[in-house]
Amino acid sequence: MRGVTWCMGTMLYLCISLLGKSHSGTELLHSRQRRAPADDSKKCSYTFLMPQQKITGPICASATGPEPDKDRVTRMDISDVREILSKQRREIEMLQLVADVDGNLVNEMKLLRKESRNMNSRVTQLYMQLLHEIIRKRDNSLELAQLENRVLNVTTEMLRLASRYKELEMRFAGLAGTVNNQSVLIAALEERCLRGYGRQDLPAVPPLVQVVPESIPANNNRFTNEIQRDNNNRAFPRGSRMDTPTPDPLGIPPPPQGTLTADGPFKDCSQVRQAGHSTSGMYLLKAEGSDRLIQAWCEHKLDNGGWTVFQRRKDGSVNFFRNWENYKKGFGNIDGEHWLGLENIYNLAKQGDYKLLVELEDWVGKKVYAEYSSFHLEPESEGFRLRLGTYQGNAGDSLTSHNGKPFTTLDRDKDAFTGNCAHFHKGGWWYNACGQTNLNGVWYSGGVYRSKFQDGIFWAEYGGGYYSLKSVRMMIRPID
């Protein structure tokens, strides 16, 4: 700006100087013309006519007096210009320095803005996390309140049950007193009976099994009276009888999917094996000449398979102290403890020549067997009489003494004893008087048991009459 002002001032000054020079030339010419007549006598005078200069440009006027020397003015101007240029250069450098500082400030401002955005995002995340944590704690507090309510409800229920338990204890004490009184009364009646009857009139007691092996299989000296216990510790009282018959194998609930094959029915498990089924399980059978369908367990993992299982004992979950009708139709669970039914066994065994396999397991895990070369039953009119062949195996022969004997239950006494063997041995069997085996007796836990009569699941030749076996299976298969 200063440079532009200086230039305009200089131009104005030059214009005024030129104008002054023009006027001075004109005045000189007129003065000379005026002085000429005075000197006419002495000198020759010359008159020069100068054309008047036409002013075509701007007229510059200067108030500073006569124009200084042109060269001197130019040097001063150059000096001023240089000074102005130096000042402008210094100002430019200063402005550049300020611009650099401002650029750094701008960059720092950008970084600060970026960090501010990041901080805002982080603060937002922390706020959301805090909000979720607050919501979670509120939910936890609600759950805690619900749990406290449940605890209060459970506590109330426990108090109610405790009160109920006290009432039951009182009732039990009353019943125990009644039982004691009845026991005293029974003892008194027994005493009166003993006095009223002679020794020869006393009811007969079956003879005990005389066969006692040299070594009892279970290495356990404790006695137990745990009877018929299943996985839920439910027990049947000794000598109890279930009044409601268990449905026969055809009427039991259907087995789980995949257990009972869709093929069949087959005449026996040997035919199941021939059909290509090698998995042990439940299969649908139908004996020749019978219109009755049977669900039976086929054992295919033992001796090339094909065995039809008609009796199994393993955990005491089923009570075998039953009447004739139950033993005729069958009862229990096919995949657990069961009796297939005398009628079904008769229909299966009359289809051809069958042999019998009895598998026994003691309480130390040892398994033994007894195999009989032939097996069949006579019809119901003959009491489903047992017919056996010759024995082989490592369990000892305790069943041959029952050969040719009809089946006996609590309500049908067909044994050779004066009393009812089913009553004393708590089961149904082909009793003699009463016999050397009782595989449908009471399931005692632990092996050696204590009882007034030999009513456990015993095989006299293996363990004796007071050793109850852990598991038993009876199965038949056609003779090869």
Side-chain angles (χ1 to χ4, degrees), residues 134-360:
I134 292 172
I135 294 174
R136 189 180 65 81
K137 287 185 177 180
R138 185 179 64 182
D139 294 339
N140 290 338
S141 63
L142 292 176
E143 292 179 359
L144 181 61
Q146 292 177 357
L147 289 175
E148 289 177 351
N149 292 332
R150 290 181 182 177
V151 169
L152 292 175
N153 294 334
V154 171
T155 304
T156 304
E157 185 68 17
M158 289 177 61
L159 293 175
R160 190 183 66 82
L161 291 176
S163 176
R164 180 62 177 167
Y165 179 73
K166 289 181 180 179
E167 293 178 1
L168 292 176
E169 280 186 339
M170 294 177 63
R171 293 181 60 185
F172 178 77
L175 292 175
T178 303
V179 170
N180 292 332
N181 294 334
Q182 290 179 349
S183 299
V184 173
L185 180 60
I186 290 172
L189 292 175
E190 287 181 349
E191 184 66 22
R192 290 178 60 183
C193 289
L194 291 176
R195 288 197 302 266
Y197 294 96
R199 297 297 298 177
Q200 66 276 10
D201 297 328
L202 293 177
V205 176
L208 299 178
V209 174
Q210 300 300 321
V211 178
V212 179
E214 296 180 358
S215 61
I216 298 177
N219 187 16
N220 190 347
N221 294 325
R222 70 179 181 88
F223 291 86
T224 177
N225 284 332
E226 299 181 13
I227 307 167
Q228 303 283 10
R229 296 190 181 273
D230 59 7
N231 294 331
N232 295 323
N233 293 328
R234 175 175 55 86
F236 298 106
R238 288 187 56 213
S240 65
R241 174 182 174 186
M242 299 181 64
D243 297 329
T244 304
T246 301
D248 58 37
L250 182 60
I252 63 174
Q257 185 177 3
T259 304
L260 183 64
T261 179
D263 298 342
F266 305 93
K267 74 173 187 177
D268 58 14
C269 291
S270 177
Q271 192 178 68
V272 173
R273 180 67 175 176
Q274 293 173 2
H277 298 283
S278 59
T279 302
S280 299
M282 284 185 285
Y283 293 86
L284 196 61
L285 307 181
K286 183 180 179 181
E288 295 177 354
S290 174
D291 56 354
R292 182 185 180 89
L293 293 175
I294 307 170
Q295 284 184 10
W297 185 274
C298 294
E299 178 58 50
H300 297 307
K301 296 180 180 179
L302 183 65
D303 190 23
N304 296 324
W307 294 99
T308 304
V309 179
F310 67 84
Q311 190 259 23
R312 177 188 288 176
R313 305 297 303 277
K314 67 174 186 177
D315 54 13
S317 59
V318 176
N319 186 8
F320 275 65
F321 192 29
R322 294 173 180 263
N323 58 19
W324 177 268
E325 191 65 22
N326 284 173
Y327 270 101
K328 176 184 175 182
K329 298 297 183 182
F331 54 86
N333 301 314
I334 298 301
D335 57 346
E337 289 199 341
H338 70 279
W339 174 262
L340 192 60
L342 291 168
E343 191 174 35
N344 295 328
I345 300 171
Y346 166 74
N347 290 328
L348 289 172
K350 75 176 183 179
Q351 297 180 111
D353 296 330
Y354 284 79
K355 59 183 177 180
L356 172 67
L357 177 65
V358 180
E359 183 186 62
L360 311 173

Side-chain angles (χ1 to χ4, degrees), residues 15-28:
C15 290
I16 294 173
S17 299
L18 289 174
L19 184 59
K21 287 180 180 182
S22 176
H23 285 285
S24 64
T26 305
E27 291 177 357
L28 180 59

